[in-house]
Amino acid sequence: MAVDFSRIPRQRLPELLRAMPKAELHLHIEGTLEPELIFALAKKNGVALAYPSVDALRAAYAFTDLQSFLDIYYAGASVLLHESDFEAMAMAYFERAAADHVVHAEVFFDPQTHAARGVSIGTVIRGLAAARARARRELGLRSELILCFLRHLSEDEAIATLEAALPYGEHFIGVGLDSSERGNPPEKFARVFARAGALGLHRVAHAGEEGPPSYIEAALDVLHAERIDHGVRCVESPALVARLAREGVALTVCPLSNLKLRVFDKLADHNLADLLRAGIKATINSDDPAYFGGYVNDNFIATFEALPQLGAADAYALAKNSFDASFVDAAARAAMTARLDAEFARFA
Ligand code: ADE
Ligand code: ZN
């Protein structure tokens, strides 16, 4: 594209970051459950919460690592019982995403979290599918669903989950791997990812958030992951950085998540700019925005504020990478890119 990025003054960057169309590729729908909705659903469904108020719950969002977050995240999800609860949660996210000019979202969901409370996978998927249809109709927002396996559980449980999901196969395009990373390497899920691949599903995996670079390599080589979620610890292996750049593997980076879960001490220490300079297709995403202090635009604004080496050309690259790394067809990708070009032309 022939935009002269130097014509976009630095002070207009926040406005540009907010307005530019973007895809969100790393978003756990259960991580969009705001405390107010948790309390409303708890009351409606008669679920007891360990916190007396919205403020007390929010005050508990002081995490020391991934596990300390996951404990609260799974407790929050316990209020979701009915199809309409999943629809309400997802619709609230889609409204916020549309306001951030997200034009396409590939949304993770964790069916095993809900099955543990007796909520069937059909209830989860039907509720999310209803919200997707409404978002498309009412907001013009496209979305897809990606079914994630909880890596702290066994591979047999993941296989049973995939088989139980197959009657709803039209509603999800891929599988992912999330939850406690350390001690649960990708190799543990080789068979279920092979089965997903044989079914024609896309494959992604969290790796290199807290886990070592070898987990990223195993996600690529053993699970055949097409994208790596997080992946920021790749920088500990120069050979892996070179490989990710050479093979065009996208990383779905989540800066505010990394900050809240202490992957980096401060945002100024984040390696996003280094990843981009190394030629890696990095993207910016929100992970669990209700828990980490911001949706995708908050992530963009905070990251560009903390890393002054990022400029308008990087903003363009990050949005373009999000379209290129998405699982949409070529026509949809071209349409989203044209909208991006038009927005940049307006600013330049
Ligand atoms: N589940 C929800 N958010 C997650 C994250 N950042 N890492 C692993 N599992 C998750
Ligand atoms: Zn995640």
Side-chain angles (χ1 to χ4, degrees):
M1 198 207 37
V3 166
D4 180 359
F5 295 113
S6 69
R7 290 173 59 90
I8 302 177
R10 193 151 190 95
Q11 65 270 25
R12 292 199 73 199
L13 260 182
E15 192 192 339
L16 173 65
L17 292 168
R18 280 194 194 91
M20 70 180 184
K22 52 189 74 75
E24 173 133 76
L25 305 179
H26 184 159
L27 180 284
H28 303 263
I29 200 65
E30 293 88 350
T32 69
L33 202 44
E34 292 284 346
E36 290 78 7
L37 188 53
I38 291 180
F39 272 79
L41 292 176
K43 189 166 172 212
K44 174 175 92 67
N45 292 336
V47 175
L49 292 172
Y51 300 91
S53 67
V54 164
D55 287 343
L57 176 57
R58 230 186 258 286
Y61 293 179
F63 311 115
T64 50
D65 58 8
L66 175 58
Q67 193 58 52
S68 66
F69 154 68
L70 290 171
D71 294 340
I72 282 200
Y73 162 85
Y74 294 129
S78 70
V79 301
L80 297 160
L81 294 186
H82 308 291
E83 230 173 273
S84 61
D85 303 339
F86 290 91
E87 180 179 347
M89 169 177 65
M91 202 56 207
Y93 164 68
F94 288 133
E95 280 165 3
R96 297 190 87 139
D100 278 2
H101 300 275
V102 171
V103 294
H104 174 73
E106 296 183 1
V107 172
F108 297 143
F109 68 109
D110 286 342
Q112 290 165 290
T113 300
H114 313 299
R117 299 190 309 283
V119 177
S120 77
I121 199 161
T123 298
V124 178
I125 294 181
R126 280 192 298 268
L128 298 177
R132 283 187 59 220
R134 276 180 63 196
R136 187 72 200 264
R137 205 168 55 237
E138 296 172 16
L139 306 167
L141 173 57
R142 294 171 168 275
S143 62
E144 299 289 357
L145 295 175
I146 295 178
L147 184 164
C148 284
F149 305 118
L150 299 182
R151 68 201 302 160
H152 66 275
L153 300 178
S154 71
E155 183 177 47
D156 283 344
E157 288 166 287
I159 291 171
T161 301
L162 179 56
E163 298 303 327
L166 291 186
Y168 308 95
E170 70 189 281
H171 293 296
F172 62 98
I173 60 161
V175 299
L177 186 63
D178 65 3
S179 192
S180 321
E181 187 180 6
R182 284 203 197 107
N184 294 297
E187 290 89 335
K188 184 176 161 186
F189 296 92
R191 285 182 302 135
V192 71
F193 270 68
R195 169 89 174 117
L199 289 165
L201 289 163
H202 288 291
R203 289 168 282 185
V204 300
H206 283 55
E209 177 185 18
E210 285 191 343
S214 62
Y215 281 26
I216 300 173
E217 288 162 347
L220 296 172
D221 296 332
V222 180
L223 304 185
H224 303 285
E226 297 160 77
R227 294 195 298 249
I228 298 294
D229 297 312
H230 295 296
V232 291
R233 283 194 60 192
C234 69
V235 295
E236 294 166 32
S237 164
L240 178 57
V241 168
R243 175 187 178 182
L244 294 171
R246 189 174 63 245
E247 296 181 6
V249 178
L251 302 186
T252 62
V253 177
C254 307
L256 289 176
S257 165
N258 294 155
L259 180 66
K260 296 288 172 176
L261 302 188
R262 312 265 187 97
V263 174
F264 297 94
D265 290 335
K266 43 190 201 308
L267 218 41
D269 295 340
H270 201 287
N271 61 16
L272 179 77
D274 304 328
L275 298 174
L276 289 170
R277 299 296 174 260
I280 290 178
K281 260 191 207 306
T283 62
I284 286 187
N285 309 271
S286 65
D287 206 7
D288 302 283
Y291 292 90
F292 299 149
Y295 286 75
V296 71
N297 279 2
D298 302 311
N299 274 271
F300 270 99
I301 304 281
T303 305
F304 274 67
E305 235 171 57
L307 302 175
Q309 63 271 48
L310 293 176
D314 299 301
Y316 182 87
L318 286 160
K320 179 73 163 55
N321 289 348
S322 75
F323 301 146
D324 291 347
S326 74
F327 296 132
V328 300
D329 62 28
R333 183 173 293 115
M336 296 191 298
T337 305
R339 287 174 69 173
L340 178 65
D341 289 352
E343 196 59 32
F344 269 77
R346 204 166 69 78
F347 273 82

